[in-house]
Amino acid sequence: MKKVILSVLFLFASASVFSQKKEVDLIIKSANIIDVKTGKIITGKAIAIKDGTIVTVFNEKQISGYNSKQILDGKGKYLIPGLWDMHMHFGGGDSLINENKNLLPLFLAYGITTVRDAAADISPSVLQWRDELAAGKLLGPRIFTSGPKLEGYKSVWKGDIEVGNTKEIELALDSLQKMHVDFVKITDNTLKPDLFLEAIRLARKRGYKVSAHIPSALTMEQIAHAGLSSVEHLGYALKAGSKVEKEISDEVAAGTLRGKAFNQKVMQTFDETAALAAYRNMAKHGMYLTPTLSLNYILTYFEKDNHKNDSYLQYIGKGLQKTYEGRVKRVEQDDAEAIAFRHELFEKTVTTLPLLQKAGVKILAGTDAGYLNSYAYPGIGLHTELELLVKYGLTPLQALQASVVNSPEFLGKKEYGSIAPGKRADILLLDENPLKNISATQKIFIVITAGKVLNRSTLNSMLEEVKNSQ
């Protein structure tokens, strides 16, 4: 009788211990976890994921305390948060909607788990994809979008909301609010400088982050004072570093300085001391900057590689490829003198990158990939961007931070940015250490998006499907 009682007690105790185990969907063990905020590599830890969220990072020796539907062995691999492309474009008109949608798995297959769409002319589709992705009904990167951007009358860009006075700016912002856009984008093709500043102020008053191209008739001080959140493209930092920036702005406003003469004066008057002062003021105002080196690099050195035989074109629809023609034809017309000048301008511009970093301006990694932007590819383009950021002055850690730390911080998305409890389970397992060689971001072993595991075989199948859909 005593033996029976002891057996029952033992079974009860065993069942009790089993019932106390934590139920999770996925555990990743034995990986080298990279803390992208500090650059430290953490070992001996495992990650538990449930319902697309990291629930805990725990001592690997305690793994017996968990019941998991799946366990991944990450031994010898390096684990980082999923990458963000903070400047890309969906677009090209309704006839290219399907080709744009095919970019979603392409991004994901290259480890880009989040993108920021910096204005589109197919916004209804993009907004629908955004909501379907967030609900888990569609496979691809999480999308944050500005919807259509604000411009002046008769802009060269398609799909803009054109405004010419304060009332029209307010109505435009009303329409963007109804779309539930994630931020506001403003460009300067025909929008008058005073209305440009007014649009920034009014959008910020409504609580929006605002990204923009900058009118050459305005100084960076004026832009910062108005409250711009992010500057798109590095070229604007070069002008801001001129010791006569105000004079240049006034000459542009008067119509006496433009084109090549403008760029020559900016380069000739660039001054590191003036630049650091301007950049520190940007940092003081909390401004970010997205360099988008990729497209400029491609066009600058187009005579060395015209990219027309890139194998990656197998993933890009013919309609999207056709949108590349405008920029391509322009650079193909350049003579030797023009080619030399574009080299000089680009190489001078990229000297601002380490100065911006030194001054405390937070850099965002974005490609300008998408329609119109010749051979700046969705997917692989972000890895190229990271390589260029390092080539021109950032450390591999700073380049990673530009993608996975600064990006969610800019949008106020606290559920991203690190491998920690409460963070979204967007994760890459890499074969090599990207802190030693930034190109290791391309050595993808596994992509995890919202807790869903995509192994190398699955990623290859996704690429094959994209290719076959063209």
Side-chain angles (χ1 to χ4, degrees), residues 164-184:
N165 54 56
T166 299
K167 182 179 179 181
E168 288 178 348
I169 294 172
E170 292 280 20
L171 290 172
L173 293 172
D174 286 344
S175 70
L176 292 176
Q177 277 192 282
K178 289 177 182 177
M179 294 180 199
H180 302 289
V181 300
D182 301 295
F183 67 103
V184 170

Side-chain angles (χ1 to χ4, degrees), residues 186-201:
I186 308 172
T187 53
D188 64 330
N189 177 239
T190 60
L191 187 61
K192 295 178 181 178
D194 58 335
L195 287 176
F196 182 91
L197 295 173
E198 183 72 0
I200 293 173
R201 288 190 285 265

Side-chain angles (χ1 to χ4, degrees), residues 193 214-218 239 245-259 262-263 266:
I214 297 175
S216 296
L218 296 173
K239 174 178 175 286
E245 186 197 10
K246 180 65 166 60
E247 178 184 307
I248 290 173
S249 296
D250 290 343
E251 289 177 344
V252 170
T256 59
L257 187 64
R258 61 174 66 88
F262 166 82
N263 286 321
V266 167

